[in-house]
Amino acid sequence: MSEEIVVGIDLGTTNSCVAVMIDSQVVVIPDEQGRRIQSSIVSFMEDGSLVIGNEAQRELVADPRNTIFSAKRFIGYPFDSKEARKLRAQLPYKVIKGEDQNSMIEIRGEAFALPEISALVLHRMKDLAEQYLGVEVNQAVITVPANFNDSQRQMTKLAGELAGLEVLRILNEPTAAALAYGYGKGLDAKLAIYDLGGGTFDMTVLQASGNVFEVKSTAGDTYLGGDDFDNRLTRVILIYLQNHYDFSIEKQPHLRGQIKHIAELVKKGLSVRDKFKLSQQIRLLEYPEPVELNLVMSRELFKKQCSDIIDRSFTICDEAFSRVPFDAKEIDDVILVGGSTRVPLVKSMVEDYFGKAPRTDIDPDEVVAVGAAIQGAMLGAPFSVEQLKHNPLLLDVTPVSIGIMTVQGICEVLIKKNTAVPCEESKVFTTTVDQQTVVKIQVFQGESRVANDNVKLGELELIGIRPAPRGEVKIEVIFEVDTDGLVSVKAKDLDTGLAHETRVKVSTGYSEENVSQMKERLDASGVGAVELTK
Ligand code: AMP
C-alpha cells in the first residue's frame, strides 16, 4: 500500500476530471477559475508553447490544424483500420502512420504518438492537483472505457507514466461510477450504469452486495453519443441555410465545423429550456456581408430528430441484459454518466426503459473521477480499521474475449467476454512437425470468429522446445488477465515442468527507445513546471 496521496483521474475523450479523497470526503479539484472539468484538448502554439484544457477550446476555431481533441478515439486502432480511417476523415488535424501501425499526429512538422497527447492532458490534471493540494502528486488511478482492450489500456498506462504518474490501477469507468454511488452505503442492489458521452455509449450491469461490487455484464457502442445529436441538428441548420441562401458548402469546408459548434450550443440550450432561439450571423463566401441565421429550435424538434439515436442505446442495453438472469425493470438504481445524459429526452427515455427515474445525485461529468479517487484512496495512504470496514472489493469483468488463432484462421476463445477478473485460462499446445523447436502463438482480442477481424494483441513464441517427434512435447500456455484488465501469457513444459522462455509482445507497440524519446520531449516541453502554491 502506498504512503502517498493517490488521485483519481477520469481521462475522457471530450473532458477530463481529477478528484482526491481527503478525510473520507471526495473533493473534485477545480482549476484556477473554479471549473471542475477540463477539456481534453491540447493546442500547440506557434511560439512552441502549449495550451492544455479549457483554454485550448478557443484554439479549436482559431487554429484547428494544431489543436488536438478526441485523440483518445484513435488509441488502440491501427492506422489502416476502418475506425481510424473513419475518424481521420472527420478531424481537422493531420494523422500519419507511425511505427508498428500506430496512428501518430503531425503537428507543425513533428510527429507525436497518441500517448504523448494523452500524457499532456494527464499532466495538466496532475498540475491542477498539485496546485490545489500543495504537495507533489506522483500516483494515480486512471479510468478507461469498459470495452478498452489490452493495447488501449497499455497505452493509457504509458500516457500516465509519461506524465510522471505511477498508475496504480486502470479502472473501468462504469465500475468507478458504481463505486462513487455505492461506496460505504452497504447496498444490496442491482445497479445499471448508463454512460452516454460525446462519441461512445456503455451499459454496465453491476451487483452491489455490502461493499462488494461485481460487474455482471457490459456492452457498448463506440459510435454512439452526443456527436450524433450535434450532427442531426447541424443538418437542420444547414437545410435552413440552404433554403434561405445560395452557397456551396464544398467551397467553405470550415463552415460545417462552425455550424456543428452552433448545433452543440443549441443542444445544450435545449437541456435547460423548451425552446432555443438561435440568432447568429454567419459568413458565407458568396455574400459580401454576414448572413442572418434566425431559427427557433424546440425540444419537440430535437425529439423528432434524435429519438432514434437514443433508441439505439437501448438495443445495447438489451444486449447487456441478455447475459444476466434478470431484466432491466428489476434494476434497483440507474446511474447516469457522461455529458449527454443531461439531455432531458435521454433521461425520460431511460426512465421509460427501466421503469424508474435514474439517479442524478452525483454530477454525471464527475462521477467517474469520484470513483477513481475512492479507489485511489484505497490503494494509497494506510487505512484505519474503521475505514477498512468500508474497503470495497471490485469484481470487474473482461470486456472483450481473448483467444488464439488456429491453423484455419479461426479465433479460438480462451477467456470469454464478461469473465470476472483477475482470471486465468490455460491450453495445452504441442508440436506439429518432427524436431520442431519453436511454436508461434498469435493472441487476439475481439468477438469475431475470424481471428484477423479481431485486434491482434501480439505474438508469443515458445522457443527452445526439446527436439522430439511431433506431438510428443506438451506445453501448457497460461493466459492471465489482471485487475487492470491487462493480459499476460506464460508457458510451461508439462513433461519437465520447466518454464519456457516466452517472447510476447502484448504491449503498446512502442519500443523502449520510442518511449524514452517521448519522455525527453515531454520534459523539454516545460509542461509541469508548476510552482506549488500552498
Ligand atoms: P463526455 O464525453 O461525457 O464528456 O460528454 C461529452 C458530450 O456531452 C458532448 O457531446 C457534449 O455536447 C455533451 N453535453 C455536455 N453538456 C451537455 C448538456 N448540458 N446538454 C446536452 N449535452 C451536453
Side-chain angles (χ1 to χ4, degrees):
M1 205 176 263
S2 159
E3 299 282 326
E4 283 190 41
I5 198 147
V6 182
V7 295
I9 303 177
D10 170 9
L11 175 64
T13 308
T14 323
N15 296 308
S16 294
C17 181
V18 56
V20 65
M21 201 164 181
I22 306 170
D23 292 338
S24 305
Q25 290 290 319
V26 178
V27 178
V28 174
I29 296 176
D31 68 6
E32 302 79 358
Q33 281 155 56
R35 296 168 301 191
R36 294 149 71 94
I37 300 291
Q38 288 294 310
S39 300
S40 304
I41 306 176
V42 183
S43 189
F44 292 72
M45 310 301 281
E46 211 173 348
D47 64 3
S49 63
L50 291 166
V51 180
I52 307 169
N54 295 339
E55 271 63 40
Q57 257 182 37
R58 59 169 190 264
E59 302 302 322
L60 283 178
V61 183
D63 189 7
R65 288 189 68 77
N66 299 305
T67 303
I68 314 307
F69 63 98
S70 287
K72 181 177 166 185
R73 302 209 68 176
F74 279 103
I75 284 199
Y77 291 112
F79 183 83
D80 291 319
S81 64
K82 199 170 70 210
E83 288 81 3
R85 250 182 281 148
K86 197 167 153 189
L87 272 174
R88 282 203 296 278
Q90 301 165 358
L91 296 172
Y93 51 82
K94 192 168 172 192
V95 182
I96 57 168
K97 193 166 175 170
E99 259 183 47
D100 275 347
Q101 293 296 316
N102 280 321
S103 295
M104 293 190 89
I105 298 172
E106 192 180 290
I107 308 144
R108 301 191 188 280
E110 220 180 321
F112 289 83
L114 298 169
E116 288 186 274
I117 305 292
S118 296
L120 291 169
V121 176
L122 287 171
H123 218 301
R124 166 83 176 135
M125 306 318 282
K126 172 177 146 84
D127 289 350
L128 285 180
E130 290 184 339
Q131 282 173 32
Y132 183 85
L133 296 165
V135 294
E136 251 190 62
V137 172
N138 300 309
Q139 295 181 323
V141 168
I142 302 177
T143 58
V144 293
N147 59 5
F148 253 25
N149 65 28
D150 187 80
S151 82
Q152 292 165 312
R153 284 163 200 265
Q154 296 268 16
M155 285 208 199
T156 307
K157 214 169 171 177
L158 172 60
E161 282 155 18
L162 289 172
L165 290 165
E166 186 189 346
V167 183
L168 296 191
R169 180 68 51 91
I170 293 285
L171 184 63
N172 285 340
E173 289 163 9
T175 313
L179 194 51
Y181 170 74
Y183 171 69
K185 286 189 187 156
L187 295 178
D188 185 11
K190 295 182 181 67
L191 308 176
I193 317 289
Y194 182 98
D195 179 355
L196 190 64
T200 57
F201 172 68
D202 284 302
M203 165 49 54
T204 307
V205 183
L206 285 112
Q207 172 72 48
S209 312
N211 280 316
V212 176
F213 292 81
E214 187 175 1
V215 176
K216 292 288 186 191
S217 165
T218 157
D221 184 338
T222 43
Y223 285 97
L224 178 61
D227 280 353
D228 297 304
F229 301 150
D230 301 343
N231 289 337
R232 292 283 173 87
L233 298 184
T234 301
R235 198 173 62 186
V236 173
I237 299 172
L238 273 176
I239 290 173
Y240 169 93
L241 277 179
Q242 274 154 354
N243 286 341
H244 288 77
Y245 306 101
D246 193 12
F247 68 99
S248 150
I249 185 121
E250 280 73 35
K251 281 197 200 143
Q252 39 212 325
H254 70 281
L255 188 61
R256 195 176 289 277
Q258 195 187 345
I259 297 204
K260 193 166 171 199
H261 186 66
I262 296 172
E264 190 183 3
L265 290 179
V266 172
K267 173 185 76 175
K268 289 184 177 171
L270 288 174
S271 289
V272 284
R273 55 185 83 91
D274 284 341
K275 284 196 167 54
F276 190 91
K277 233 169 125 187
L278 186 58
S279 172
Q280 196 118 14
Q281 291 196 324
I282 303 252
R283 284 204 167 273
L284 295 175
L285 266 183
E286 291 79 356
Y287 293 80
E289 297 296 324
V291 302
E292 295 291 332
L293 174 60
N294 288 319
L295 188 60
V296 178
M297 310 266 259
S298 65
R299 285 191 182 169
E300 243 344 90
L301 175 128
F302 185 88
K303 187 173 179 178
K304 235 166 76 197
Q305 291 292 327
C306 300
S307 59
D308 64 306
I309 298 169
I310 306 170
D311 269 332
R312 273 170 53 208
S313 76
F314 300 121
T315 314
I316 310 286
C317 294
D318 290 344
E319 188 192 325
F321 281 103
S322 70
R323 298 193 210 106
V324 291
F326 48 86
D327 67 34
K329 298 273 192 285
E330 290 173 70
I331 285 290
D332 296 299
D333 275 310
V334 185
I335 300 157
L336 298 180
V337 182
S340 298
T341 62
R342 292 187 191 280
V343 171
L345 183 63
V346 170
K347 281 190 216 158
S348 70
M349 288 175 73
V350 167
E351 181 166 349
D352 289 345
Y353 180 83
F354 287 95
K356 61 175 61 68
R359 314 267 326 204
T360 44
D361 348 19
I362 309 183
D363 188 306
D365 290 320
E366 298 175 0
V367 63
V368 170
V370 168
I374 294 170
Q375 172 76 83
M378 294 190 298
L379 297 168
F383 275 86
S384 67
V385 177
E386 183 52 32
Q387 280 167 312
L388 269 177
K389 273 198 277 187
H390 294 294
N391 197 355
L393 186 63
L394 294 173
L395 298 175
D396 239 321
V397 292
T398 52
V400 198
S401 302
I402 297 160
I404 50 161
M405 192 202 255
T406 63
V407 187
Q408 298 84 14
I410 300 292
C411 187
E412 182 185 334
V413 173
L414 289 180
I415 296 179
K416 265 216 219 119
K417 175 178 173 149
N418 276 318
T419 306
V421 294
C423 61
E424 67 168 51
E425 204 54 62
S426 68
K427 184 173 167 60
V428 175
F429 288 87
T430 188
T431 49
T432 50
V433 184
D434 291 340
Q435 312 303 317
Q436 186 177 344
T437 55
V438 176
V439 170
K440 193 160 132 185
I441 299 162
Q442 301 192 66
V443 187
F444 287 84
Q445 218 170 20
E447 308 312 320
S448 172
R449 255 175 64 74
V450 180
N452 277 326
D453 287 349
N454 293 326
V455 175
K456 185 170 169 184
L457 287 185
E459 277 179 8
L460 167 72
E461 258 182 10
L462 303 175
I463 53 177
I465 293 173
R466 168 171 61 90
R470 76 188 137 173
E472 197 181 291
V473 183
K474 302 247 179 321
I475 299 147
E476 184 184 26
V477 179
I478 301 152
F479 295 79
E480 287 176 331
V481 184
D482 68 11
T483 40
D484 288 343
L486 295 174
V487 185
S488 62
V489 188
K490 44 183 206 223
K492 193 166 78 183
D493 190 325
L494 284 183
D495 297 337
T496 60
L498 287 179
H500 257 279
E501 189 183 339
T502 57
R503 223 185 273 149
V504 66
K505 228 180 71 187
V506 181
S507 74
T508 54
Y510 298 112
S511 65
E512 263 175 45
E513 196 188 334
N514 277 162
V515 172
S516 51
Q517 275 167 1
M518 291 182 206
K519 279 196 181 120
E520 270 169 35
R521 183 151 61 177
L522 202 101
D523 289 346
S525 72
V527 177
V530 286
E531 244 176 69
L532 302 180
T533 49
K534 218 164 168 183

